[in-house]
Amino acid sequence: MSLIVSNGTAEGTILYQYNPSDTAGYAFVALFSITTIIHIVLMLWYRSWYFIPMILGGIMEAGGYYGRAWNHDNPKQIKAYVLYLLLTLSAPPFIAATIYMALTRIMTTLRAAHLSIFNVRFLTTTFVVIDIICFLAFLGGAGMQIAASASLQSAGRKVVLAGLGFQIICFLFFVYIAIRFHKRNLRGPGPLAEVQGVKWRKHSWALYLACLFMLVRNIFRIAEYTQGHEGVIARHEWFIYTFDATMMWLVMVVYATVHPGRLVRQVRKAEKQGEMIDGQELDGVEKEQDAGRQQWS
């Protein structure tokens, strides 16, 4: 079905199978705004600049659900729909980028980079590049879905599906890396894993929980795009708020509650109390990594 735009509204197609709820939309604008502000404060407090992508993702999520709330008064308003579609599809890669960097920070802070099955120096870069590819796919796919041609709309959905599938595969590999690191650090812990007051396990479980929420959201989106505009998901609004909005908000809540900056503070406190090996520096992870790879190979 072709999309015709006249005076800022969509003609010839149905953007939503229902009238979007303004109450739910504004509720998630508020939730994402509050958690984003909290993350800004925490980032400044812990000097954790790698949380900038998550903050940007939170701003984008808030803007996207403002678009849905805007559509309540005019469900055919194309500007509001584009705002929602582009921002809610593009925000998760930004949030995921912070999750990748959080794992790297855990490994290096514990001086246990040698326990990783993936070279820590390239871990963040590799997965952030993957995120950029997915972001471009989502951006392009979303743009194609608002085109006038029905064939372009169909191709846009396929592009988004391909991006989601690729993202899930790579994300599962990332989770595998995190699990293997966790197990190795339990069996043959790094120099800081057993220091009293360094609660690294809590941060690992927080990462798993955030990854679970991300995976649920991505699987839901695949189901949504597979069913198409006439599917069950497209006809019931509660799906999008339960399996997308709530999942992404919970990822931000997890990291606001268990912030990696606290682990860094715990390690620094242990250093001051002399509960660690003297003379080792955090930037010596390359030597540890080479030695560790020989041990675990």
Side-chain angles (χ1 to χ4, degrees), residues 117-118 123 126-127 130 167-179:
I117 64 171
F118 198 96
L123 179 62
T126 299
F127 283 96
I130 290 171
Q167 189 178 47
I168 285 179
I169 292 172
C170 296
F171 205 75
L172 287 173
F173 180 56
F174 170 78
V175 173
Y176 175 71
I177 293 172
I179 292 174

Side-chain angles (χ1 to χ4, degrees), residues 168 171-172 175 210-220:
I168 285 179
F171 205 75
L172 287 173
V175 173
C211 288
L212 175 62
F213 293 142
M214 287 287 298
L215 286 170
V216 169
R217 180 264 174 193
N218 286 347
I219 292 171
F220 161 74

Side-chain angles (χ1 to χ4, degrees), residues 18 24 28 32 61 65 68 84 88-89 92 95 164 167-168 209-225 227 232-234 236-251:
Y18 45 76
F28 275 94
F32 278 113
E61 291 281 5
Y65 287 102
R68 280 188 74 96
Y84 157 71
T88 57
L89 279 176
I95 295 175
L164 286 168
Q167 189 178 47
I168 285 179
L209 189 58
C211 288
L212 175 62
F213 293 142
M214 287 287 298
L215 286 170
V216 169
R217 180 264 174 193
N218 286 347
I219 292 171
F220 161 74
R221 279 294 196 173
I222 286 180
E224 178 191 20
Y225 275 87
Q227 289 185 8
V232 175
I233 293 176
H236 298 86
E237 188 175 20
W238 67 268
F239 278 108
I240 198 74
Y241 284 110
T242 303
F243 295 107
D244 190 325
T246 299
M247 294 298 106
M248 296 310 303
W249 178 67
L250 286 175
V251 171

Side-chain angles (χ1 to χ4, degrees), residues 49-58 60 91 93-98 101:
W49 313 121
Y50 56 95
F51 265 79
I52 290 176
M54 180 169 286
I55 290 169
L56 292 176
M60 294 167 74
F94 283 85
I95 295 175
T98 296
M101 289 185 278

Side-chain angles (χ1 to χ4, degrees), residues 186-204:
L186 288 173
R187 293 202 307 266
L192 288 168
E194 300 301 320
V195 173
Q196 185 178 5
V198 177
K199 301 177 181 179
W200 68 272
R201 293 176 182 82
K202 179 171 69 173
H203 292 272
S204 290

